[in-house]
Amino acid sequence: MMSFAKALFSFLSPAKRKPRVFIDAAAFDPDQPRRRGRAVILIAQNDEDNIYERVSRALLNSAGVVVLDYGSTDGTPYFAAEAGALVVIKEPHQAEEEAMAAAYRAAQRFSTYVEVGC
């Protein structure tokens, strides 16, 4: 049986444009007030095998997790969203500082204190 993330990834071929920010709607409520604690930004690229576990561990001790994806060609962003992270995808032409600023703004939706992890 194919998981939801793999089915979604196979539907969105690399030739199609990826969304800049996407989330698993069940895991994120933008109307929810900021929680106490810290928000975590995880940086990932082609980390399909480990990202679900990394996000799950980070969610245990944080108000929320944002994954900044550096153009993965595997299912990394989809597994991160399935684990409960908000995912920001760096576009190929986008500067690193601009991508990190977008991830930081997204993390501020969870908490005023933001920590970056790799």
Side-chain angles (χ1 to χ4, degrees):
M1 186 166 123
M2 187 183 287
S3 74
F4 172 75
K6 286 194 178 194
L8 182 61
F9 182 70
S10 64
F11 174 74
L12 296 172
S13 69
K16 295 182 182 179
R17 181 170 164 78
K18 293 180 183 176
R20 293 190 68 220
V21 177
F22 71 94
I23 56 170
D24 179 1
F28 181 71
D29 180 9
D31 297 327
Q32 190 176 36
R34 291 182 181 167
R35 292 174 262 174
R36 295 185 142 215
R38 63 191 168 118
V40 177
I41 298 174
L42 297 176
I43 300 169
Q45 182 177 17
N46 295 330
D47 194 20
E48 181 180 74
D49 298 333
N50 302 319
I51 194 65
Y52 192 94
E53 182 183 337
R54 288 175 59 199
V55 170
S56 297
R57 259 189 317 205
L59 279 171
L60 291 175
N61 300 317
S62 65
V65 176
V66 175
V67 172
L68 176 56
D69 181 66
Y70 273 79
S72 293
T73 56
D74 61 2
T76 299
Y78 306 101
F79 287 112
E82 194 174 83
L86 186 138
V87 180
V88 177
I89 296 177
K90 180 188 176 298
E91 298 289 330
H93 63 279
Q94 191 177 30
E96 281 190 38
E97 295 82 13
E98 188 180 331
M100 185 55 90
Y104 184 79
R105 283 191 303 273
Q108 285 184 318
R109 293 179 184 177
F110 296 113
S111 176
T112 53
Y113 176 68
V114 179
E115 181 177 305
V116 178
C118 291

